[in-house]
Structures are given as C-alpha cells and as structure tokens.
Amino acid sequence: MKRSTKKALIFLIAALVVVIIVIIILASDNTPVITEDQMGTTVIAEMAEAAASDNPEGKIPGQPETETVPQPVDIPNEKEVKLYVDMGGEMHMVTEHRSAWSPSYDIAIFEAFNSDEPVIYYDNYYTVHQNYWNAVSTDRDYKIGYELNMDVDGEHKTYTILSPADIEKNPDLFMGDADNDEVTGYMGVWVYCDMYHDSMYIHLTSADMADGVLMTSIKLRPTPAYESVSNLRLKVFSYSSDDEIGPDGRYIGTHGYEIPIYNQ
C-alpha cells in the first residue's frame, strides 16, 4: 500500500472514532440524571396519586368526620310556647329552675303555654290549658315537643321528645313507676296532656297519642345515677310542619324556648 493511501485510511478511522464519541456524548447529555432526592419526590408523588384515587373526597385518614349541622328553618309560628311552673292558682313563666335533686322527689312539672304573660292566673287547671291553647285560631295542626340537653360524665347528649315513644325506647331516660319499678337511666321523664280530661290523670304513653292529644306538660325527676348529670337544659317548642324536624329527628325550627335547670 502506498504511504499516502495508508495515511488517508488512518485519518478516516480517526475521524470515525471522533464521530462515534461525539454521538455517545450527545446521547448521554439527553438522558436525565435522577438524583436520590428526586427519586424520593417521585415516589411520594406516585403514592399521593394512588391515595387520591382511593380517596376521591380528599379525607385525611384517621381524622374524625365533621358533623353536618342542619340549617335552621324559620317557619311562622302562631302558637309559640313558653315554660311555666304551677304555683297553685298561678302559672309563673320561668327563665331557669333551681332545686335540690333527689331520686325521691320531682325536679318540677313544666307547663307549656302559648303565651308570653309572666303570670297566668287560673281557677281550673285543665280549663286554663284549653283556653290558652284555643285562644289562637289557626288552620295549622300544631304539636308540642321537648328537647333535653345534658352532659353525662362529660359527654354531651341531646334527646328530642316528639312522642312518649322517644322516652320509652331510650335507655338513658326512665318513664316507669319511680316508686315501685327498678329505676334505670339518668333522668326520669314523663309527659302529660292537660286538656280534655274525663278520667284518671296519668302520664302519656305511645299508645295514647291520638289526634288532638298534646304533650302540654313534662315532669323531670332524677334517677339514682343523677350525679353523672350536669348542664341540664330543657327546651319546649311547638311545630306545624315536618320540615321543622331535621334528618336526625331533632327540632331545627327557630321558635323554641329553653331554660337551664340547676341542682343546688
């Protein structure tokens, strides 16, 4: 081989090697280098994406769900009621009640009147309930309900009473014979209809709740477990629509009247 031809071949080989090296370098520059930190970020992002697909509502695992509070319903009320206590010939509206609690004695009987008079004077116990309730003529069918709020060993509890059945089926409340039966629960609760009486005056049961029967009064009495109870409150309300009762069975109207009841 001639010397000039040999030099040309060496030059071509060297040039080819240079081209290959350049190609390798360019290829390596286009390949992203993933650092250790970037790998961790990528893994976290993938885990978050997977968690989101399993938890589309975005709830935080282990966090308690927030209670949904129904919005109040302001329905006009033609028979708004307040709480009274009978003083013998006089019904006195109360803003609070204080007494020494004992399982042997009633806290009080609280009367529901559609009135805002501080004192209602009467001659006949049953007639005064009839007269005040019927004083307002309306096409709406009104009912009376109650709500008890209390803390039991620090836990807040609410009991809505739309019927005696709400007492009968609740193990925290007692509606039997407090003098002869085994008393259970945290509070004795009895409801009465103080209208249209032609027989013995006894507390209402679920079997008594026919049309026209109203829970016009409620009696409270501590049970032997009363020392677990604190922050007792009683609310009375009248209502004419099922819309005033929320999905959880509680009163959500805006015309309730509530008082605190103290043990002292």
Side-chain angles (χ1 to χ4, degrees), residues 101-137:
W101 292 6
S102 168
S104 301
Y105 304 101
D106 300 333
I107 292 175
I109 297 178
F110 299 94
E111 317 277 345
F113 280 93
N114 53 316
S115 170
D116 56 6
E117 299 175 24
V119 181
I120 298 174
Y121 300 95
Y122 71 93
D123 294 322
N124 184 286
Y125 181 80
Y126 304 117
T127 301
V128 69
H129 274 279
Q130 294 178 33
N131 291 344
Y132 271 82
W133 185 256
N134 295 327
V136 178
S137 179

PDB file of all heavy atoms in Angstrom, residues 101-137:
ATOM      1  N   TRP A 101     -81.634  18.195  93.911  1.00  0.00           N
ATOM      2  CA  TRP A 101     -82.035  16.961  93.231  1.00  0.00           C
ATOM      3  C   TRP A 101     -81.983  15.765  94.188  1.00  0.00           C
ATOM      4  O   TRP A 101     -81.070  15.641  95.007  1.00  0.00           O
ATOM      5  CB  TRP A 101     -81.117  16.690  92.052  1.00  0.00           C
ATOM      6  CG  TRP A 101     -81.257  17.682  90.930  1.00  0.00           C
ATOM      7  CD1 TRP A 101     -82.011  18.832  90.915  1.00  0.00           C
ATOM      8  CD2 TRP A 101     -80.616  17.622  89.658  1.00  0.00           C
ATOM      9  NE1 TRP A 101     -81.883  19.485  89.722  1.00  0.00           N
ATOM     10  CE2 TRP A 101     -81.036  18.767  88.928  1.00  0.00           C
ATOM     11  CE3 TRP A 101     -79.735  16.733  89.066  1.00  0.00           C
ATOM     12  CZ2 TRP A 101     -80.586  19.029  87.630  1.00  0.00           C
ATOM     13  CZ3 TRP A 101     -79.290  16.985  87.780  1.00  0.00           C
ATOM     14  CH2 TRP A 101     -79.712  18.114  87.068  1.00  0.00           C
ATOM     15  N   SER A 102     -82.971  14.891  94.012  1.00  0.00           N
ATOM     16  CA  SER A 102     -83.021  13.639  94.764  1.00  0.00           C
ATOM     17  C   SER A 102     -83.861  12.646  93.979  1.00  0.00           C
ATOM     18  O   SER A 102     -84.888  13.035  93.392  1.00  0.00           O
ATOM     19  CB  SER A 102     -83.647  13.863  96.139  1.00  0.00           C
ATOM     20  OG  SER A 102     -83.957  12.607  96.751  1.00  0.00           O
ATOM     21  N   PRO A 103     -83.453  11.383  93.951  1.00  0.00           N
ATOM     22  CA  PRO A 103     -84.268  10.371  93.259  1.00  0.00           C
ATOM     23  C   PRO A 103     -85.641  10.190  93.889  1.00  0.00           C
ATOM     24  O   PRO A 103     -86.521   9.566  93.293  1.00  0.00           O
ATOM     25  CB  PRO A 103     -83.430   9.093  93.398  1.00  0.00           C
ATOM     26  CG  PRO A 103     -82.042   9.554  93.669  1.00  0.00           C
ATOM     27  CD  PRO A 103     -82.194  10.817  94.457  1.00  0.00           C
ATOM     28  N   SER A 104     -85.847  10.746  95.065  1.00  0.00           N
ATOM     29  CA  SER A 104     -87.125  10.595  95.773  1.00  0.00           C
ATOM     30  C   SER A 104     -88.119  11.704  95.460  1.00  0.00           C
ATOM     31  O   SER A 104     -89.286  11.618  95.856  1.00  0.00           O
ATOM     32  CB  SER A 104     -86.876  10.556  97.287  1.00  0.00           C
ATOM     33  OG  SER A 104     -86.005   9.487  97.630  1.00  0.00           O
ATOM     34  N   TYR A 105     -87.671  12.751  94.747  1.00  0.00           N
ATOM     35  CA  TYR A 105     -88.545  13.903  94.509  1.00  0.00           C
ATOM     36  C   TYR A 105     -88.432  14.360  93.051  1.00  0.00           C
ATOM     37  O   TYR A 105     -87.371  14.256  92.413  1.00  0.00           O
ATOM     38  CB  TYR A 105     -88.179  15.068  95.437  1.00  0.00           C
ATOM     39  CG  TYR A 105     -88.204  14.702  96.894  1.00  0.00           C
ATOM     40  CD1 TYR A 105     -87.019  14.425  97.581  1.00  0.00           C
ATOM     41  CD2 TYR A 105     -89.408  14.607  97.603  1.00  0.00           C
ATOM     42  CE1 TYR A 105     -87.034  14.074  98.916  1.00  0.00           C
ATOM     43  CE2 TYR A 105     -89.430  14.257  98.946  1.00  0.00           C
ATOM     44  CZ  TYR A 105     -88.241  13.991  99.597  1.00  0.00           C
ATOM     45  OH  TYR A 105     -88.255  13.634 100.926  1.00  0.00           O
ATOM     46  N   ASP A 106     -89.549  14.928  92.573  1.00  0.00           N
ATOM     47  CA  ASP A 106     -89.545  15.506  91.232  1.00  0.00           C
ATOM     48  C   ASP A 106     -88.748  16.806  91.229  1.00  0.00           C
ATOM     49  O   ASP A 106     -88.773  17.572  92.214  1.00  0.00           O
ATOM     50  CB  ASP A 106     -90.973  15.816  90.761  1.00  0.00           C
ATOM     51  CG  ASP A 106     -91.852  14.571  90.705  1.00  0.00           C
ATOM     52  OD1 ASP A 106     -91.288  13.478  90.511  1.00  0.00           O
ATOM     53  OD2 ASP A 106     -93.082  14.704  90.840  1.00  0.00           O
ATOM     54  N   ILE A 107     -88.074  17.067  90.113  1.00  0.00           N
ATOM     55  CA  ILE A 107     -87.454  18.388  89.941  1.00  0.00           C
ATOM     56  C   ILE A 107     -88.565  19.428  89.793  1.00  0.00           C
ATOM     57  O   ILE A 107     -88.593  20.441  90.479  1.00  0.00           O
ATOM     58  CB  ILE A 107     -86.524  18.395  88.721  1.00  0.00           C
ATOM     59  CG1 ILE A 107     -85.303  17.495  88.978  1.00  0.00           C
ATOM     60  CG2 ILE A 107     -86.084  19.812  88.376  1.00  0.00           C
ATOM     61  CD1 ILE A 107     -84.376  17.342  87.788  1.00  0.00           C
ATOM     62  N   ALA A 108     -89.499  19.158  88.886  1.00  0.00           N
ATOM     63  CA  ALA A 108     -90.666  20.030  88.687  1.00  0.00           C
ATOM     64  C   ALA A 108     -91.494  19.456  87.547  1.00  0.00           C
ATOM     65  O   ALA A 108     -91.031  18.594  86.777  1.00  0.00           O
ATOM     66  CB  ALA A 108     -90.253  21.465  88.364  1.00  0.00           C
ATOM     67  N   ILE A 109     -92.744  19.955  87.477  1.00  0.00           N
ATOM     68  CA  ILE A 109     -93.552  19.738  86.278  1.00  0.00           C
ATOM     69  C   ILE A 109     -93.565  21.067  85.535  1.00  0.00           C
ATOM     70  O   ILE A 109     -93.979  22.100  86.086  1.00  0.00           O
ATOM     71  CB  ILE A 109     -94.990  19.308  86.625  1.00  0.00           C
ATOM     72  CG1 ILE A 109     -94.981  17.969  87.364  1.00  0.00           C
ATOM     73  CG2 ILE A 109     -95.836  19.206  85.358  1.00  0.00           C
ATOM     74  CD1 ILE A 109     -96.361  17.496  87.792  1.00  0.00           C
ATOM     75  N   PHE A 110     -93.111  21.052  84.298  1.00  0.00           N
ATOM     76  CA  PHE A 110     -93.042  22.261  83.478  1.00  0.00           C
ATOM     77  C   PHE A 110     -94.210  22.270  82.495  1.00  0.00           C
ATOM     78  O   PHE A 110     -94.434  21.300  81.767  1.00  0.00           O
ATOM     79  CB  PHE A 110     -91.709  22.325  82.740  1.00  0.00           C
ATOM     80  CG  PHE A 110     -90.522  22.372  83.657  1.00  0.00           C
ATOM     81  CD1 PHE A 110     -89.857  21.203  84.013  1.00  0.00           C
ATOM     82  CD2 PHE A 110     -90.074  23.577  84.184  1.00  0.00           C
ATOM     83  CE1 PHE A 110     -88.762  21.225  84.862  1.00  0.00           C
ATOM     84  CE2 PHE A 110     -88.980  23.621  85.040  1.00  0.00           C
ATOM     85  CZ  PHE A 110     -88.326  22.436  85.385  1.00  0.00           C
ATOM     86  N   GLU A 111     -94.954  23.381  82.503  1.00  0.00           N
ATOM     87  CA  GLU A 111     -96.161  23.510  81.690  1.00  0.00           C
ATOM     88  C   GLU A 111     -95.857  24.315  80.423  1.00  0.00           C
ATOM     89  O   GLU A 111     -95.154  25.329  80.487  1.00  0.00           O
ATOM     90  CB  GLU A 111     -97.262  24.226  82.486  1.00  0.00           C
ATOM     91  CG  GLU A 111     -97.401  23.763  83.925  1.00  0.00           C
ATOM     92  CD  GLU A 111     -98.242  22.518  84.067  1.00  0.00           C
ATOM     93  OE1 GLU A 111     -98.956  22.170  83.117  1.00  0.00           O
ATOM     94  OE2 GLU A 111     -98.197  21.888  85.154  1.00  0.00           O
ATOM     95  N   ALA A 112     -96.411  23.891  79.298  1.00  0.00           N
ATOM     96  CA  ALA A 112     -96.233  24.602  78.029  1.00  0.00           C
ATOM     97  C   ALA A 112     -97.492  25.407  77.722  1.00  0.00           C
ATOM     98  O   ALA A 112     -98.576  24.838  77.568  1.00  0.00           O
ATOM     99  CB  ALA A 112     -95.949  23.608  76.908  1.00  0.00           C
ATOM    100  N   PHE A 113     -97.356  26.733  77.654  1.00  0.00           N
ATOM    101  CA  PHE A 113     -98.463  27.623  77.311  1.00  0.00           C
ATOM    102  C   PHE A 113     -98.077  28.490  76.119  1.00  0.00           C
ATOM    103  O   PHE A 113     -96.952  29.017  76.086  1.00  0.00           O
ATOM    104  CB  PHE A 113     -98.827  28.531  78.482  1.00  0.00           C
ATOM    105  CG  PHE A 113     -99.686  27.874  79.524  1.00  0.00           C
ATOM    106  CD1 PHE A 113     -99.104  27.265  80.628  1.00  0.00           C
ATOM    107  CD2 PHE A 113    -101.066  27.871  79.411  1.00  0.00           C
ATOM    108  CE1 PHE A 113     -99.882  26.665  81.602  1.00  0.00           C
ATOM    109  CE2 PHE A 113    -101.862  27.263  80.380  1.00  0.00           C
ATOM    110  CZ  PHE A 113    -101.273  26.655  81.479  1.00  0.00           C
ATOM    111  N   ASN A 114     -99.009  28.632  75.174  1.00  0.00           N
ATOM    112  CA  ASN A 114     -98.756  29.561  74.079  1.00  0.00           C
ATOM    113  C   ASN A 114     -99.124  30.973  74.569  1.00  0.00           C
ATOM    114  O   ASN A 114    -100.154  31.555  74.242  1.00  0.00           O
ATOM    115  CB  ASN A 114     -99.546  29.193  72.817  1.00  0.00           C
ATOM    116  CG  ASN A 114    -101.035  29.018  73.057  1.00  0.00           C
ATOM    117  OD1 ASN A 114    -101.422  28.387  74.033  1.00  0.00           O
ATOM    118  ND2 ASN A 114    -101.858  29.559  72.175  1.00  0.00           N
ATOM    119  N   SER A 115     -98.180  31.504  75.358  1.00  0.00           N
ATOM    120  CA  SER A 115     -98.369  32.805  75.982  1.00  0.00           C
ATOM    121  C   SER A 115     -96.998  33.370  76.316  1.00  0.00           C
ATOM    122  O   SER A 115     -96.014  32.642  76.413  1.00  0.00           O
ATOM    123  CB  SER A 115     -99.189  32.654  77.266  1.00  0.00           C
ATOM    124  OG  SER A 115     -99.207  33.855  78.014  1.00  0.00           O
ATOM    125  N   ASP A 116     -96.945  34.681  76.465  1.00  0.00           N
ATOM    126  CA  ASP A 116     -95.726  35.310  76.978  1.00  0.00           C
ATOM    127  C   ASP A 116     -96.036  36.157  78.210  1.00  0.00           C
ATOM    128  O   ASP A 116     -95.261  37.037  78.586  1.00  0.00           O
ATOM    129  CB  ASP A 116     -95.044  36.144  75.897  1.00  0.00           C
ATOM    130  CG  ASP A 116     -95.964  37.208  75.304  1.00  0.00           C
ATOM    131  OD1 ASP A 116     -97.100  37.373  75.809  1.00  0.00           O
ATOM    132  OD2 ASP A 116     -95.553  37.881  74.338  1.00  0.00           O
ATOM    133  N   GLU A 117     -97.165  35.884  78.856  1.00  0.00           N
ATOM    134  CA  GLU A 117     -97.521  36.574  80.098  1.00  0.00           C
ATOM    135  C   GLU A 117     -96.632  36.055  81.228  1.00  0.00           C
ATOM    136  O   GLU A 117     -96.452  34.843  81.374  1.00  0.00           O
ATOM    137  CB  GLU A 117     -98.988  36.334  80.442  1.00  0.00           C
ATOM    138  CG  GLU A 117     -99.961  36.850  79.393  1.00  0.00           C
ATOM    139  CD  GLU A 117    -101.396  36.482  79.733  1.00  0.00           C
ATOM    140  OE1 GLU A 117    -101.689  36.259  80.931  1.00  0.00           O
ATOM    141  OE2 GLU A 117    -102.221  36.411  78.798  1.00  0.00           O
ATOM    142  N   PRO A 118     -96.089  36.943  82.055  1.00  0.00           N
ATOM    143  CA  PRO A 118     -95.237  36.496  83.166  1.00  0.00           C
ATOM    144  C   PRO A 118     -95.976  35.584  84.143  1.00  0.00           C
ATOM    145  O   PRO A 118     -95.393  34.625  84.661  1.00  0.00           O
ATOM    146  CB  PRO A 118     -94.812  37.800  83.841  1.00  0.00           C
ATOM    147  CG  PRO A 118     -94.977  38.849  82.798  1.00  0.00           C
ATOM    148  CD  PRO A 118     -96.130  38.416  81.955  1.00  0.00           C
ATOM    149  N   VAL A 119     -97.257  35.878  84.398  1.00  0.00           N
ATOM    150  CA  VAL A 119     -98.057  35.071  85.314  1.00  0.00           C
ATOM    151  C   VAL A 119     -99.427  34.824  84.690  1.00  0.00           C
ATOM    152  O   VAL A 119    -100.054  35.748  84.161  1.00  0.00           O
ATOM    153  CB  VAL A 119     -98.233  35.768  86.676  1.00  0.00           C
ATOM    154  CG1 VAL A 119     -99.059  34.890  87.618  1.00  0.00           C
ATOM    155  CG2 VAL A 119     -96.887  36.099  87.307  1.00  0.00           C
ATOM    156  N   ILE A 120     -99.874  33.575  84.724  1.00  0.00           N
ATOM    157  CA  ILE A 120    -101.212  33.209  84.260  1.00  0.00           C
ATOM    158  C   ILE A 120    -102.014  32.757  85.473  1.00  0.00           C
ATOM    159  O   ILE A 120    -101.666  31.777  86.132  1.00  0.00           O
ATOM    160  CB  ILE A 120    -101.147  32.070  83.213  1.00  0.00           C
ATOM    161  CG1 ILE A 120    -100.367  32.516  81.981  1.00  0.00           C
ATOM    162  CG2 ILE A 120    -102.548  31.611  82.832  1.00  0.00           C
ATOM    163  CD1 ILE A 120    -100.128  31.395  80.972  1.00  0.00           C
ATOM    164  N   TYR A 121    -103.079  33.474  85.773  1.00  0.00           N
ATOM    165  CA  TYR A 121    -103.935  33.130  86.910  1.00  0.00           C
ATOM    166  C   TYR A 121    -105.060  32.212  86.428  1.00  0.00           C
ATOM    167  O   TYR A 121    -105.589  32.383  85.317  1.00  0.00           O
ATOM    168  CB  TYR A 121    -104.522  34.394  87.538  1.00  0.00           C
ATOM    169  CG  TYR A 121    -103.460  35.340  88.057  1.00  0.00           C
ATOM    170  CD1 TYR A 121    -103.000  36.391  87.270  1.00  0.00           C
ATOM    171  CD2 TYR A 121    -102.913  35.178  89.323  1.00  0.00           C
ATOM    172  CE1 TYR A 121    -102.019  37.253  87.735  1.00  0.00           C
ATOM    173  CE2 TYR A 121    -101.929  36.047  89.804  1.00  0.00           C
ATOM    174  CZ  TYR A 121    -101.487  37.076  88.993  1.00  0.00           C
ATOM    175  OH  TYR A 121    -100.509  37.925  89.461  1.00  0.00           O
ATOM    176  N   TYR A 122    -105.434  31.252  87.272  1.00  0.00           N
ATOM    177  CA  TYR A 122    -106.462  30.308  86.838  1.00  0.00           C
ATOM    178  C   TYR A 122    -107.263  29.788  88.014  1.00  0.00           C
ATOM    179  O   TYR A 122    -106.805  29.811  89.167  1.00  0.00           O
ATOM    180  CB  TYR A 122    -105.828  29.141  86.069  1.00  0.00           C
ATOM    181  CG  TYR A 122    -105.030  28.189  86.933  1.00  0.00           C
ATOM    182  CD1 TYR A 122    -105.619  27.044  87.480  1.00  0.00           C
ATOM    183  CD2 TYR A 122    -103.682  28.424  87.215  1.00  0.00           C
ATOM    184  CE1 TYR A 122    -104.897  26.167  88.278  1.00  0.00           C
ATOM    185  CE2 TYR A 122    -102.956  27.553  88.013  1.00  0.00           C
ATOM    186  CZ  TYR A 122    -103.568  26.425  88.543  1.00  0.00           C
ATOM    187  OH  TYR A 122    -102.856  25.565  89.337  1.00  0.00           O
ATOM    188  N   ASP A 123    -108.465  29.295  87.701  1.00  0.00           N
ATOM    189  CA  ASP A 123    -109.322  28.631  88.694  1.00  0.00           C
ATOM    190  C   ASP A 123    -109.339  27.125  88.477  1.00  0.00           C
ATOM    191  O   ASP A 123    -109.404  26.364  89.443  1.00  0.00           O
ATOM    192  CB  ASP A 123    -110.750  29.176  88.620  1.00  0.00           C
ATOM    193  CG  ASP A 123    -110.831  30.634  89.044  1.00  0.00           C
ATOM    194  OD1 ASP A 123    -110.112  31.008  90.001  1.00  0.00           O
ATOM    195  OD2 ASP A 123    -111.573  31.393  88.409  1.00  0.00           O
ATOM    196  N   ASN A 124    -109.303  26.707  87.205  1.00  0.00           N
ATOM    197  CA  ASN A 124    -109.349  25.281  86.870  1.00  0.00           C
ATOM    198  C   ASN A 124    -108.112  24.915  86.055  1.00  0.00           C
ATOM    199  O   ASN A 124    -107.841  25.514  85.012  1.00  0.00           O
ATOM    200  CB  ASN A 124    -110.620  24.964  86.079  1.00  0.00           C
ATOM    201  CG  ASN A 124    -110.765  23.471  85.790  1.00  0.00           C
ATOM    202  OD1 ASN A 124    -110.071  22.921  84.951  1.00  0.00           O
ATOM    203  ND2 ASN A 124    -111.670  22.817  86.518  1.00  0.00           N
ATOM    204  N   TYR A 125    -107.376  23.928  86.538  1.00  0.00           N
ATOM    205  CA  TYR A 125    -106.099  23.540  85.916  1.00  0.00           C
ATOM    206  C   TYR A 125    -106.280  23.130  84.459  1.00  0.00           C
ATOM    207  O   TYR A 125    -105.503  23.513  83.595  1.00  0.00           O
ATOM    208  CB  TYR A 125    -105.485  22.398  86.723  1.00  0.00           C
ATOM    209  CG  TYR A 125    -104.151  21.917  86.207  1.00  0.00           C
ATOM    210  CD1 TYR A 125    -102.974  22.607  86.509  1.00  0.00           C
ATOM    211  CD2 TYR A 125    -104.055  20.766  85.426  1.00  0.00           C
ATOM    212  CE1 TYR A 125    -101.755  22.173  86.048  1.00  0.00           C
ATOM    213  CE2 TYR A 125    -102.831  20.322  84.958  1.00  0.00           C
ATOM    214  CZ  TYR A 125    -101.684  21.026  85.262  1.00  0.00           C
ATOM    215  OH  TYR A 125    -100.475  20.598  84.792  1.00  0.00           O
ATOM    216  N   TYR A 126    -107.298  22.342  84.175  1.00  0.00           N
ATOM    217  CA  TYR A 126    -107.480  21.840  82.816  1.00  0.00           C
ATOM    218  C   TYR A 126    -108.065  22.905  81.896  1.00  0.00           C
ATOM    219  O   TYR A 126    -107.668  23.044  80.741  1.00  0.00           O
ATOM    220  CB  TYR A 126    -108.383  20.602  82.822  1.00  0.00           C
ATOM    221  CG  TYR A 126    -107.848  19.513  83.735  1.00  0.00           C
ATOM    222  CD1 TYR A 126    -108.574  19.085  84.839  1.00  0.00           C
ATOM    223  CD2 TYR A 126    -106.610  18.943  83.503  1.00  0.00           C
ATOM    224  CE1 TYR A 126    -108.082  18.098  85.687  1.00  0.00           C
ATOM    225  CE2 TYR A 126    -106.103  17.969  84.337  1.00  0.00           C
ATOM    226  CZ  TYR A 126    -106.841  17.543  85.424  1.00  0.00           C
ATOM    227  OH  TYR A 126    -106.331  16.583  86.245  1.00  0.00           O
ATOM    228  N   THR A 127    -108.976  23.699  82.426  1.00  0.00           N
ATOM    229  CA  THR A 127    -109.609  24.725  81.606  1.00  0.00           C
ATOM    230  C   THR A 127    -108.610  25.779  81.150  1.00  0.00           C
ATOM    231  O   THR A 127    -108.682  26.270  80.022  1.00  0.00           O
ATOM    232  CB  THR A 127    -110.754  25.402  82.389  1.00  0.00           C
ATOM    233  OG1 THR A 127    -111.712  24.417  82.768  1.00  0.00           O
ATOM    234  CG2 THR A 127    -111.438  26.452  81.527  1.00  0.00           C
ATOM    235  N   VAL A 128    -107.661  26.137  82.016  1.00  0.00           N
ATOM    236  CA  VAL A 128    -106.707  27.170  81.633  1.00  0.00           C
ATOM    237  C   VAL A 128    -105.839  26.705  80.463  1.00  0.00           C
ATOM    238  O   VAL A 128    -105.506  27.493  79.564  1.00  0.00           O
ATOM    239  CB  VAL A 128    -105.835  27.604  82.836  1.00  0.00           C
ATOM    240  CG1 VAL A 128    -104.873  26.503  83.273  1.00  0.00           C
ATOM    241  CG2 VAL A 128    -105.074  28.875  82.507  1.00  0.00           C
ATOM    242  N   HIS A 129    -105.505  25.430  80.431  1.00  0.00           N
ATOM    243  CA  HIS A 129    -104.748  24.908  79.282  1.00  0.00           C
ATOM    244  C   HIS A 129    -105.597  24.972  78.017  1.00  0.00           C
ATOM    245  O   HIS A 129    -105.103  25.385  76.953  1.00  0.00           O
ATOM    246  CB  HIS A 129    -104.313  23.464  79.560  1.00  0.00           C
ATOM    247  CG  HIS A 129    -103.019  23.362  80.314  1.00  0.00           C
ATOM    248  ND1 HIS A 129    -101.796  23.482  79.695  1.00  0.00           N
ATOM    249  CD2 HIS A 129    -102.759  23.155  81.622  1.00  0.00           C
ATOM    250  CE1 HIS A 129    -100.828  23.344  80.597  1.00  0.00           C
ATOM    251  NE2 HIS A 129    -101.390  23.142  81.776  1.00  0.00           N
ATOM    252  N   GLN A 130    -106.844  24.579  78.112  1.00  0.00           N
ATOM    253  CA  GLN A 130    -107.726  24.625  76.948  1.00  0.00           C
ATOM    254  C   GLN A 130    -107.905  26.055  76.453  1.00  0.00           C
ATOM    255  O   GLN A 130    -107.799  26.323  75.245  1.00  0.00           O
ATOM    256  CB  GLN A 130    -109.092  24.035  77.303  1.00  0.00           C
ATOM    257  CG  GLN A 130    -109.080  22.554  77.624  1.00  0.00           C
ATOM    258  CD  GLN A 130    -110.470  22.067  78.011  1.00  0.00           C
ATOM    259  OE1 GLN A 130    -111.481  22.558  77.512  1.00  0.00           O
ATOM    260  NE2 GLN A 130    -110.534  21.103  78.908  1.00  0.00           N
ATOM    261  N   ASN A 131    -108.174  26.953  77.383  1.00  0.00           N
ATOM    262  CA  ASN A 131    -108.464  28.327  76.983  1.00  0.00           C
ATOM    263  C   ASN A 131    -107.286  28.990  76.285  1.00  0.00           C
ATOM    264  O   ASN A 131    -107.459  29.684  75.265  1.00  0.00           O
ATOM    265  CB  ASN A 131    -108.877  29.154  78.213  1.00  0.00           C
ATOM    266  CG  ASN A 131    -110.226  28.735  78.764  1.00  0.00           C
ATOM    267  OD1 ASN A 131    -111.002  28.052  78.091  1.00  0.00           O
ATOM    268  ND2 ASN A 131    -110.514  29.145  80.006  1.00  0.00           N
ATOM    269  N   TYR A 132    -106.092  28.798  76.818  1.00  0.00           N
ATOM    270  CA  TYR A 132    -104.924  29.451  76.210  1.00  0.00           C
ATOM    271  C   TYR A 132    -104.558  28.798  74.870  1.00  0.00           C
ATOM    272  O   TYR A 132    -104.206  29.492  73.912  1.00  0.00           O
ATOM    273  CB  TYR A 132    -103.742  29.437  77.173  1.00  0.00           C
ATOM    274  CG  TYR A 132    -103.718  30.644  78.076  1.00  0.00           C
ATOM    275  CD1 TYR A 132    -104.503  30.674  79.227  1.00  0.00           C
ATOM    276  CD2 TYR A 132    -102.961  31.759  77.773  1.00  0.00           C
ATOM    277  CE1 TYR A 132    -104.510  31.778  80.057  1.00  0.00           C
ATOM    278  CE2 TYR A 132    -102.961  32.878  78.599  1.00  0.00           C
ATOM    279  CZ  TYR A 132    -103.740  32.888  79.737  1.00  0.00           C
ATOM    280  OH  TYR A 132    -103.756  33.997  80.542  1.00  0.00           O
ATOM    281  N   TRP A 133    -104.645  27.476  74.812  1.00  0.00           N
ATOM    282  CA  TRP A 133    -104.286  26.816  73.554  1.00  0.00           C
ATOM    283  C   TRP A 133    -105.276  27.173  72.442  1.00  0.00           C
ATOM    284  O   TRP A 133    -104.880  27.386  71.293  1.00  0.00           O
ATOM    285  CB  TRP A 133    -104.232  25.309  73.753  1.00  0.00           C
ATOM    286  CG  TRP A 133    -103.748  24.585  72.521  1.00  0.00           C
ATOM    287  CD1 TRP A 133    -104.498  23.877  71.622  1.00  0.00           C
ATOM    288  CD2 TRP A 133    -102.397  24.532  72.035  1.00  0.00           C
ATOM    289  NE1 TRP A 133    -103.705  23.378  70.609  1.00  0.00           N
ATOM    290  CE2 TRP A 133    -102.406  23.768  70.837  1.00  0.00           C
ATOM    291  CE3 TRP A 133    -101.190  25.051  72.503  1.00  0.00           C
ATOM    292  CZ2 TRP A 133    -101.256  23.513  70.107  1.00  0.00           C
ATOM    293  CZ3 TRP A 133    -100.028  24.792  71.763  1.00  0.00           C
ATOM    294  CH2 TRP A 133    -100.076  24.033  70.585  1.00  0.00           C
ATOM    295  N   ASN A 134    -106.548  27.247  72.796  1.00  0.00           N
ATOM    296  CA  ASN A 134    -107.576  27.525  71.792  1.00  0.00           C
ATOM    297  C   ASN A 134    -107.789  29.017  71.545  1.00  0.00           C
ATOM    298  O   ASN A 134    -108.614  29.387  70.699  1.00  0.00           O
ATOM    299  CB  ASN A 134    -108.911  26.893  72.215  1.00  0.00           C
ATOM    300  CG  ASN A 134    -108.834  25.381  72.260  1.00  0.00           C
ATOM    301  OD1 ASN A 134    -108.118  24.756  71.485  1.00  0.00           O
ATOM    302  ND2 ASN A 134    -109.558  24.767  73.200  1.00  0.00           N
ATOM    303  N   ALA A 135    -107.056  29.860  72.280  1.00  0.00           N
ATOM    304  CA  ALA A 135    -107.230  31.302  72.103  1.00  0.00           C
ATOM    305  C   ALA A 135    -106.787  31.763  70.716  1.00  0.00           C
ATOM    306  O   ALA A 135    -107.282  32.765  70.188  1.00  0.00           O
ATOM    307  CB  ALA A 135    -106.457  32.060  73.174  1.00  0.00           C
ATOM    308  N   VAL A 136    -105.863  31.039  70.124  1.00  0.00           N
ATOM    309  CA  VAL A 136    -105.389  31.352  68.777  1.00  0.00           C
ATOM    310  C   VAL A 136    -106.026  30.368  67.813  1.00  0.00           C
ATOM    311  O   VAL A 136    -105.790  29.155  67.897  1.00  0.00           O
ATOM    312  CB  VAL A 136    -103.848  31.274  68.694  1.00  0.00           C
ATOM    313  CG1 VAL A 136    -103.377  31.552  67.271  1.00  0.00           C
ATOM    314  CG2 VAL A 136    -103.215  32.250  69.665  1.00  0.00           C
ATOM    315  N   SER A 137    -106.829  30.887  66.894  1.00  0.00           N
ATOM    316  CA  SER A 137    -107.488  30.037  65.905  1.00  0.00           C
ATOM    317  C   SER A 137    -106.621  29.970  64.647  1.00  0.00           C
ATOM    318  O   SER A 137    -106.194  31.006  64.119  1.00  0.00           O
ATOM    319  CB  SER A 137    -108.870  30.609  65.568  1.00  0.00           C
ATOM    320  OG  SER A 137    -109.513  29.820  64.592  1.00  0.00           O
TER     321      SER A 137
END
